[in-house]
């Protein structure tokens, strides 16, 4: 009886100690050993060798290596398309129930779920890729100036086309500034070296739809496009370009492995450039929910090496390098001055530079050399 009483007292004391323990507060140091990261992916990067989720996962692996984290400190939920908020919330809550104190939500569709759950779980940091929502405590967003690399890839495409028709498979239309902004920058890069070229766009209305992306690429090739670019998640447009014997520009990862005879270059994401300092800031206690918008200079985006088959004219190679240097130096940010839309409007102002907010959230128009087909 006495032993039972002692055991009961110990249990009660443990419970009281547990109740008195203050939860960790984002912005204060977190022991490295206590870091537990929950990652939510739109597809399954562990069964892929290229594409959007795969690029994010490579960034997670880079961060894990850089910070010396164990495999057990990172949890995953995959194939969460973000179209059903309740389902997304449930997957994130599962990660939190397993002890995650950091949530990395890698796709646009997770934004509202993160906003809601950040209020319910103040001792969890939520970081959302590509969105525009955040709070002043534990919810931030992150992305990169992908339009900078898109612009450079447009120079490559404009120099290589012979039909002066360049196809672009777009996940979304003008309702999504991320897609449209990158597309417009690509179109401006094309125009830089080839004012006669036209960019023909087919919208799939999905971030990840390999069949729809393949069909869109086929339609663009049938329309006479001899270079196919994309803002969508799979390598299907690249594969279709190779099958048709035309050129292509990959996205997210170096897609030359998927279509070695077609890919001229790829617009790359190096997500580790954000993930490593982000998690380190949480460990150090210096985390703030200030949104992050990285650049080529920051190393989060880049162009893959040009194909050996490309044979650019010397003048084009010079322009490509000069434009890259202008972007890296900060003297040129692509969305500068007055820009003409394809419906006859003038956007911007003479000598002005578009703000980050406008680029991220308000590019709801197409540049003048763009045509959309259905």
């Amino acid at each position: 009886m006495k032993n039972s009483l002692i055991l009961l007292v110990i249990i009660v004391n443990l419970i009281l100690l547990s109740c008195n323990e203050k939860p960790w507060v984002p912005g204060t140091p977190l022991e490295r050993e206590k870091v537990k990261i929950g990652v939510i992916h739109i597809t399954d990067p562990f069964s892929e060798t290229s594409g959007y989720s795969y690029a994010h996962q490579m960034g997670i692996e880079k961060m894990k290596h850089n910070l010396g984290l164990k495999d057990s400190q990172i949890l995953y939920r995959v194939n969460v398309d973000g179209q059903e908020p309740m389902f997304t919330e449930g997957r994130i809550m599962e990660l939190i129930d397993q002890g995650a104190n950091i949530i990395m939500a890698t796709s646009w569709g997770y934004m509202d779920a993160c906003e809601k759950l950040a209020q319910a779980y103040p001792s969890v940091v939520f970081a959302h890729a590509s969105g525009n929502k955040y709070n002043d405590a534990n919810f931030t967003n992150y992305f990169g100036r992908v339009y900078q690399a898109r612009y450079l890839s447009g120079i490559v495409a404009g120099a290589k086309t012979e039909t002066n028709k360049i196809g672009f498979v777009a996940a979304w239309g003008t309702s999504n500034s991320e897609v449209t902004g990158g597309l417009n920058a690509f179109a401006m890069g094309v125009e830089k070296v080839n004012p006669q070229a036209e960019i023909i766009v087919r919208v799939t209305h999905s971030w990840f739809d390999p069949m729809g992306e393949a069909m869109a690429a086929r339609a663009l090739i049938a329309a006479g496009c001899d270079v196919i670019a994309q803002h969508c998640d799979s390598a299907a447009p690249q594969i279709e370009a190779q099958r048709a014997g035309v050129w292509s520009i990959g996205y997210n990862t170096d897609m030359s492995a998927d279509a070695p005879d077609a890919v001229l270059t790829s617009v790359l994401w190096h997500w580790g450039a954000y993930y490593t300092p982000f998690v380190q800031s949480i460990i150090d206690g210096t985390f703030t929910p200030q949104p992050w918008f990285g650049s080529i200079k920051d190393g989060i985006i880049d162009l893959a090496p040009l194909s050996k088959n490309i044979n650019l004219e010397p003048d084009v190679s010079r322009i490509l390098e000069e434009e890259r240097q202008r972007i890296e130096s900060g003297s040129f940010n692509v969305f500068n001055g007055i820009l003409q839309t394809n419906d006859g409007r003038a956007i911007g102002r003479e000598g002005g530079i578009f703000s980050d907010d406008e680029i991220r959230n308000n590019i709801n128009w197409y540049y003048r050399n763009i045509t959309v087909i259905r």
Side-chain angles (χ1 to χ4, degrees):
M1 181 70 177
K2 184 178 179 181
N3 289 338
S4 296
L5 209 59
I6 291 172
L7 181 60
L8 180 60
V9 170
I10 291 172
I11 291 172
V12 169
N13 284 334
L14 287 173
I15 291 172
L16 289 173
L17 283 170
S18 166
C19 291
N20 289 330
E21 184 180 347
K22 292 183 179 180
W24 171 69
V25 177
T28 61
L30 179 64
E31 294 176 37
R32 189 180 305 269
E33 294 73 21
K34 292 185 178 180
V35 168
K36 201 145 196 179
I37 301 168
V39 182
I40 179 169
H41 286 304
I42 193 170
T43 59
D44 181 2
F46 303 102
S47 64
E48 301 167 348
T49 56
S50 65
Y52 182 79
S53 294
Y54 183 79
H56 274 284
Q57 187 55 35
M58 292 303 97
I60 297 293
E61 294 293 337
K62 183 76 171 176
M63 175 274 298
K64 182 177 70 175
H65 171 78
N66 289 343
L67 301 184
L69 301 183
K70 300 175 181 177
D71 289 345
S72 60
Q73 290 180 267
I74 305 181
L75 310 170
Y76 298 97
R77 290 296 182 273
V78 301
N79 293 321
V80 182
D81 65 13
Q83 299 300 307
E84 299 178 13
M86 292 293 289
F87 181 77
T88 301
E89 289 174 24
R91 301 294 78 75
I92 295 174
M93 290 170 67
E94 288 172 1
L95 294 168
I96 295 172
D97 288 344
Q98 289 182 262
N101 43 31
I102 301 170
I103 296 295
M104 292 178 177
T106 64
S107 184
W108 172 270
Y110 308 149
M111 178 166 58
D112 291 343
C114 286
E115 180 183 38
K116 179 179 178 181
L117 294 176
Q119 294 181 343
Y121 295 94
S123 293
V124 177
V125 172
F126 293 79
H128 174 248
S130 79
N132 50 36
K133 293 184 177 182
Y134 63 101
N135 65 23
D136 61 359
N138 66 326
F139 175 34
T140 189
N141 63 66
Y142 61 98
F143 203 55
R145 301 174 190 276
V146 66
Y147 62 89
Q148 294 177 339
R150 287 257 185 238
Y151 173 80
L152 296 177
S153 72
I155 293 173
V156 177
K160 200 61 180 174
T161 181
E162 295 180 1
T163 64
N164 283 337
K165 292 184 178 181
I166 297 170
F168 196 102
V169 180
W172 303 101
T174 53
S175 63
N176 188 281
S177 189
E178 173 191 333
V179 177
T180 310
L183 168 56
N184 285 341
F186 175 79
M188 286 184 264
V190 170
E191 186 182 67
K192 178 72 177 179
V193 294
N194 190 344
Q196 287 74 45
E198 175 187 17
I199 290 76
I200 303 176
V201 179
R202 182 77 177 261
V203 179
T204 64
H205 303 286
S206 173
W207 291 115
F208 180 75
D209 178 8
M211 183 175 294
E213 293 161 22
M215 291 175 63
R218 289 176 206 151
L220 293 168
I221 293 166
C225 298
D226 61 351
V227 181
I228 301 296
Q230 68 180 77
H231 189 134
C232 54
D233 288 358
S234 85
Q238 312 302 306
I239 294 168
E240 291 300 321
Q242 177 154 301
R243 286 175 178 165
V246 300
W247 299 107
S248 65
I249 305 284
Y251 181 46
N252 291 306
T253 55
D254 187 347
M255 289 185 168
S256 61
D258 300 281
D261 297 330
V263 174
L264 296 167
T265 185
S266 298
V267 173
L268 303 179
W269 282 104
H270 296 303
W271 293 104
Y274 173 76
Y275 287 137
T276 297
F278 164 64
V279 176
Q280 185 66 60
S281 76
I282 292 172
I283 293 170
D284 294 341
T286 59
F287 165 76
T288 63
Q290 182 65 36
W292 190 84
F293 197 29
S295 65
I296 284 181
K297 188 176 181 179
D298 295 321
I300 193 168
I301 54 169
D302 206 345
L303 273 190
L306 299 179
S307 167
K308 294 178 181 178
N309 301 322
I310 193 169
N311 296 322
L312 285 181
E313 294 293 330
D315 282 352
V316 176
S317 297
R318 175 183 53 77
I319 291 170
L320 186 63
E321 183 57 31
E322 287 176 352
E323 294 301 280
R324 183 188 182 96
Q325 289 179 7
R326 284 211 299 155
I327 288 171
E328 288 188 354
S329 71
S331 65
F332 176 61
N333 197 38
V334 182
F335 290 98
N336 293 6
I338 298 175
L339 303 176
Q340 302 295 325
T341 70
N342 68 351
D343 58 3
R345 290 179 292 152
I347 306 292
R349 58 185 176 82
E350 189 68 38
I353 299 175
F354 286 54
S355 70
D356 287 349
D357 180 68
E358 184 166 11
I359 293 171
R360 293 193 68 174
N361 303 312
N362 296 310
I363 304 293
N364 56 5
W365 44 271
Y366 287 127
Y367 192 61
R368 60 187 175 190
N369 56 355
I370 292 174
T371 300
V372 180
I373 63 172
R374 297 186 185 278

